[in-house]
């Protein structure tokens, strides 16, 4: 079941510049964690504001839970949670007070508010600082409160725009694990981060945008296998063989370096075809292979490659 379907969303902030979002299509399945990645200024936050009905697109269609979000924004808002990128807090409220106030805003009954607040203080490691004012919190503590308070109400879809900024590694991991648990019980999560390891850890699907346009989309695995080629493959031969540099020097589509010992490094410049040619040349000259290894592609490498190579909107 689709939770979000967006077609050709565009948004300009006025002025002479190009649109901040320039025709984005999105399809987010219910109960999945969807990672929305892209360099600074790519249009992620602008897209989130459109998806959450905080700003109206200049053009395009948007349906959330099958509801036309442009015509019935309030119906959509009732069922979503949003943690925006900007810090938002009331300076004089305590941590407990912030949770309580959020629960009241969402009409959560008093007993349920107490139960939820207790659980969230525990889950987000806020118990010790429950009586501190927001103003006196550290940056990461404040961000934890901003995320935690969103869980005071029920929702079917949660948008998180760089929620882990300023959080320490333990707090990050705890948040990611609790998001995973919630996704397993049916919550759909739309997640933005610049920490690619986070996206790799929790996302089922990913879209990478640049210059207001989608440049790649798919599961982390499919993106890595599509864009992760071109990484270095190391071939170890049993003994040093003086013929190797000349034999492999002429193989098209890759660069080859041979150290003084027994390791050959092959970096295909396009597809992995070149690697097969290298193996064939070695085989046809009777050169055995001891070991072959490739550094596993990670999402960060893949991201950098996509962002560098894919054009995005012209002129960006
Ligand atoms: N309120 C605004 N008025 C004018 N221009 C804006 C406004 N908000 C964003 N922009 C511009 O729109 C473009 C997209 O910005 P947006 O905040 O959506 O990017 P982002 O992908 O969230 O970036 P980041 O990773 O830095 O958070 C940028 O060029 C930005 O300068
Ligand atoms: Mg942003």
């Amino acid at each position: 079941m689709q939770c979000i379907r967006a077609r050709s969303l565009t948004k300009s902030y006025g002025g002479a510049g190009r649109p901040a979002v320039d025709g984005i299509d999105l399809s987010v399945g219910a109960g999945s964690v969807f990672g929305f990645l892209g360099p600074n200024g790519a249009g992620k936050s602008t897209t989130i504001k459109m998806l959450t009905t905080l700003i109206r697109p200049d053009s395009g269609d948007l349906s959330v839970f099958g509801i036309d979000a442009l015509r019935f924004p309030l119906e959509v808002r009732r069922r979503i949670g949003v943690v925006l990128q900007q810090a938002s807090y009331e300076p004089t409220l305590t941590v407990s007070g912030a949770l309580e106030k959020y629960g009241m805003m969402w009409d959560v009954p008093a007993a349920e508010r107490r139960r939820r607040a207790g659980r969230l203080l525990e889950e987000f490691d806020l118990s010790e600082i429950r009586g501190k004012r927001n103003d006196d919190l550290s940056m990461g503590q404040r961000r934890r409160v901003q995320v935690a308070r969103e869980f005071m109400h029920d929702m079917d879809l949660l948008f998180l725009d760089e929620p882990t900024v300023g959080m320490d590694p333990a707090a990050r991991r705890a948040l990611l694990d609790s998001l995973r648990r919630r996704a397993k019980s049916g919550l759909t999560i739309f997640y933005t981060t610049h920490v690619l390891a986070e996206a790799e850890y929790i996302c089922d699907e990913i879209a990478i945008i640049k210059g207001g346009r989608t440049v790649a989309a798919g599961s982390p695995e499919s993106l890595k296998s599509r864009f992760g080629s071109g990484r270095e493959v190391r071939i170890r031969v049993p003994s040093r063989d003086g013929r190797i540099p000349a034999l492999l020097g002429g193989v098209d589509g890759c660069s080859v370096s041979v150290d003084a010992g027994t390791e050959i490094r092959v970096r295909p410049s396009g597809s992995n075809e070149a690697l097969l040619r290298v193996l064939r040349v070695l085989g046809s000259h009777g050169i055995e292979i001891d070991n072959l290894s490739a550094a596993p592609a990670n999402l960060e490498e893949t991201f950098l490659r996509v962002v560098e190579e894919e054009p995005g909107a012209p002129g960006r």
Side-chain angles (χ1 to χ4, degrees):
M1 223 239 329
Q2 290 305 307
C3 182
I4 304 176
R5 263 177 77 88
R7 290 285 163 265
S8 309
L9 286 185
T10 60
K11 178 72 191 174
S12 283
Y13 285 107
R18 302 197 153 274
V21 174
D22 196 6
I24 280 192
D25 295 336
L26 287 168
S27 185
V28 178
S32 66
V33 182
F34 188 89
F36 198 50
L37 311 179
N40 291 139
K44 301 179 299 296
S45 297
T46 303
T47 304
I48 285 187
K49 287 177 190 157
M50 290 192 278
L51 299 179
T52 53
T53 78
L54 296 174
I55 59 174
R56 217 183 144 75
D58 297 334
S59 61
D61 295 316
L62 173 62
S63 98
V64 182
F65 315 118
I67 302 167
D68 181 340
L70 303 182
R71 289 181 61 205
F72 306 105
L74 294 182
E75 274 189 44
V76 170
R77 277 198 210 181
R78 271 201 287 276
R79 295 177 57 185
I80 64 177
V82 193
V83 176
L84 289 176
Q85 186 168 14
Q86 300 88 327
S88 107
Y89 60 96
E90 287 185 48
T92 56
L93 273 185
T94 61
V95 171
S96 291
L99 296 179
E100 171 69 7
K101 181 161 182 197
Y102 231 68
M104 286 172 76
M105 270 166 48
W106 284 91
D107 286 333
V108 179
E112 181 63 11
R113 287 203 300 273
R114 270 195 303 279
R115 199 185 65 77
R116 287 191 193 186
R119 205 191 59 212
L120 290 168
L121 288 171
E122 193 76 15
E123 185 175 342
F124 286 85
D125 197 17
L126 298 168
S127 299
E128 266 180 38
I129 51 165
R130 64 194 303 159
K132 267 201 170 183
R133 288 161 12 127
N134 272 318
D135 224 6
D136 299 333
L137 298 180
S138 74
M139 183 184 161
Q141 290 170 337
R142 207 177 284 143
R143 194 67 174 154
R144 266 151 51 195
V145 175
Q146 199 182 344
V147 177
R149 71 182 185 192
E150 210 50 51
F151 291 110
M152 284 298 290
H153 69 97
D154 291 321
M155 61 198 134
D156 299 311
L157 169 60
L158 174 62
F159 293 87
L160 295 161
D161 197 348
E162 299 189 37
T164 54
V165 168
M167 288 189 192
D168 66 44
R172 262 168 209 262
R173 178 54 69 94
L175 174 63
L176 296 178
D177 286 342
S178 78
L179 293 176
R180 279 227 288 217
R181 272 197 305 279
R182 288 182 156 96
K184 274 213 180 84
S185 31
L187 180 68
T188 308
I189 298 172
F190 194 95
Y191 192 88
T192 285
T193 180
H194 289 295
V195 183
L196 279 298
E198 280 180 12
E200 198 158 8
Y201 189 66
I202 59 164
C203 295
D204 303 304
E205 291 287 318
I206 283 174
I208 300 177
I209 68 164
K210 178 182 171 185
R213 291 186 183 168
T214 306
V215 288
S219 67
E221 284 313 312
S222 74
L223 288 175
K224 283 191 292 187
S225 65
R226 205 156 92 230
F227 295 96
S229 67
R231 63 190 189 276
E232 194 173 80
V233 175
R234 294 174 187 197
I235 300 170
R236 192 168 285 284
V237 291
S239 56
R240 198 164 167 266
D241 188 326
R243 296 174 299 165
I244 291 176
L247 286 174
L248 298 183
V251 177
D252 286 338
C254 63
S255 65
V256 177
S257 64
V258 187
D259 68 4
T262 56
E263 187 168 271
I264 306 165
R265 296 175 173 216
V266 183
R267 186 176 280 276
S269 46
S271 73
N272 285 323
E273 283 293 307
L275 183 60
L276 291 176
R277 286 198 286 274
V278 166
L279 296 177
R280 262 188 236 118
V281 169
L282 293 175
S284 67
H285 289 83
I287 300 169
E288 283 179 29
I289 292 169
D290 248 6
N291 187 26
L292 188 144
S293 63
N298 63 33
L299 198 59
E300 180 140 330
E301 257 177 47
T302 303
F303 175 87
L304 291 171
R305 208 176 157 84
V306 169
V307 164
E308 192 178 297
E309 288 177 5
E310 299 295 315
R316 293 256 180 159

